Amino acid sequence: MQIGCPKEIKPQEFRVGLTPAAAAEAAAHGHQVLVEAGAGLGAGFPDEDYLAAGARIAPDAAAIYGDCDLIVKVKEPQPAERAMLRRGQVLFAYLHLAPDPEQARDLLACGVTAIAYETVTDARGALPLLAPMSEVAGRLAPQVGAWALQKANGGRGVLLGGVPGVGPANVLIIGGGVVGAAAARVAVGMGANVTVMDRSLPRLSWLDDNFMGKLATRHASAAATAELVQAADMVVGAVLVPGAATPKLLSRAALATMPRGAVLVDVAIDQGGCFETSRPTTHQDPIYEVDGVIHYCVANMPGAVARTSTQALGNATLPFLLALADKGWRRALVDDAHLRAGLSTHEGQLTSPPVGEALGMAAITPDQLLAG
């Protein structure tokens, strides 16, 4: 099979969909690998590394989309990229379709078979291709929040860990999953006063056991959220509904109760965000202010640490990539229910019911598609 890896064109996105190590594995399986010139430079992988791995270098994206059967990316295809996709081609990438009706319509119109990293599952019901980037974004969240808290950036001028005689910042993390736990680990390490909220009592118990009293846990409710945000210097939104739009857990009215210069870090912005006032931003222009509260809503946070992120993502995606290339998409999905859960569109048919519900579109399940 001809596997293609284009250069990412989303603003300030430095990751790449295929590492040289993954290209070498695919080549060893007998596949042809085509990488766009300069695609890996942002992650520290020059074209020479791909050539040494057995890949070929394409002069531009048109050569990738025109010649390759399987397109491997990081972020969702931008409008110019979607115009080059076609029926009979497989796209393997993060898609986040629930808050993006325009992308959904374009993928359906071009007929591509699109498989979303973020809804591929594993035997534990977890999301193995989302988890590495959730770890990265979670660990980044307190760092970028601490930066936004600096007075020069519009924040309260509060040091996350405090100093002797002056207390630390109050950090509220909404969601105790992969993102929330990773954010808590860094925030605790920076000396902040950390509280994590979650609806799952077993998850709260796990957090309490693993952090050994170094953070507080609270069962998530509207009342508890309203109480805790009033004293929060930083709130990290770390909730996820797989494949679906994120619920709005903090209203604009709640902002009025927060300290002026407090910071919101919305890690869930890829799925629409979990704060009513959230809107996507970029690394180039990452923050904005609403009612005196600073918002950090960068939609591709892991792109800031592109080399680490690319390697972590490549480790996770490689087995699935090889299965798609070795077997073809249909056999690979028939053989693996977890990969099958990632199927989002095929030849004009939406195959993700959560996306269909979010966008008001008709959808069938991947199982129904394959049975048909």
Side-chain angles (χ1 to χ4, degrees):
M1 181 177 286
Q2 185 105 317
I3 302 170
C5 177
K7 184 177 181 178
E8 298 293 322
I9 63 172
K10 187 166 186 173
Q12 302 294 299
E13 180 52 70
F14 304 108
R15 290 172 289 179
V16 62
L18 202 64
T19 64
E25 289 279 352
H29 279 237
H31 303 293
Q32 295 181 329
V33 180
L34 198 59
V35 179
E36 185 179 351
L41 289 177
F45 300 119
D47 292 347
E48 291 76 15
D49 288 357
Y50 290 100
L51 290 170
R56 293 188 295 117
I57 301 299
D60 52 31
I64 298 287
Y65 288 96
D67 295 342
C68 295
D69 310 300
L70 172 59
I71 304 296
V72 183
K73 281 180 48 58
V74 179
K75 291 303 292 178
E76 71 279 359
Q78 301 302 292
E81 296 174 304
R82 300 198 293 266
M84 292 186 281
L85 290 166
R86 55 180 167 77
R87 185 179 292 255
Q89 203 167 48
V90 177
L91 171 66
F92 195 33
Y94 288 118
L95 299 178
H96 300 292
L97 293 176
D100 194 349
E102 182 180 349
Q103 183 197 173
R105 286 192 293 267
D106 286 351
L107 295 182
L108 293 172
C110 72
V112 70
T113 299
I115 301 172
Y117 290 160
E118 70 270 14
T119 54
V120 173
T121 59
D122 65 17
R124 299 179 295 111
L127 304 171
L129 305 190
L130 188 61
M133 298 304 93
S134 296
E135 284 274 5
V136 172
R139 293 181 188 220
L140 278 174
Q143 293 181 209
V144 299
W147 173 83
L149 270 174
Q150 295 176 29
K151 193 65 177 178
N153 300 318
R156 297 194 73 199
V158 174
L159 182 64
L160 215 60
V163 294
V166 180
N170 294 319
V171 175
L172 173 62
I173 300 171
I174 304 177
V178 176
V179 171
R185 185 172 296 111
V186 171
V188 166
M190 295 174 76
N193 179 34
V194 179
T195 301
V196 181
M197 302 181 69
D198 200 277
R199 292 186 301 177
S200 168
L201 292 176
R203 187 61 179 179
L204 293 177
S205 179
W206 181 91
L207 289 163
D208 190 61
D209 288 344
N210 277 267
F211 283 89
M212 302 177 66
K214 294 180 181 177
L215 54 71
T217 58
R218 289 287 296 272
H219 186 256
S221 68
T225 302
E227 171 196 338
L228 291 169
V229 298
Q230 295 179 47
D233 298 294
M234 182 194 305
V235 179
V236 177
V239 298
L240 173 71
V241 180
T246 306
K248 305 301 182 186
L249 302 180
L250 194 61
S251 68
R252 182 163 186 172
L255 294 184
T257 71
M258 297 182 69
R260 299 304 85 182
V263 171
L264 302 180
V265 181
D266 197 340
V267 185
I269 192 65
D270 267 339
Q271 291 293 114
C274 56
F275 308 134
E276 183 183 356
T277 47
S278 292
R279 58 175 173 79
T281 61
T282 67
H283 292 292
Q284 191 171 13
D285 188 16
I287 59 176
Y288 61 94
E289 178 266 330
V290 176
D291 297 342
V293 176
I294 306 302
H295 294 57
Y296 182 101
C297 303
V298 174
N300 60 330
M301 287 176 65
V305 286
R307 188 171 180 86
T308 296
S309 297
T310 293
Q311 290 172 318
L313 181 60
N315 292 340
T317 58
L318 181 59
F320 298 101
L321 169 66
L322 292 177
L324 288 168
D326 291 347
K327 300 178 179 180
W329 73 269
R330 182 177 290 274
R331 175 48 56 188
L333 267 58
V334 167
D335 289 350
D336 187 347
H338 303 302
L339 180 58
R340 188 159 70 241
L343 185 65
S344 296
T345 70
H346 173 69
E347 295 188 353
Q349 176 67 65
L350 185 63
T351 55
S352 174
V355 171
E357 182 177 353
L359 299 181
M361 295 180 176
I364 61 174
T365 68
D367 286 340
Q368 289 171 321
L369 175 79
L370 293 172

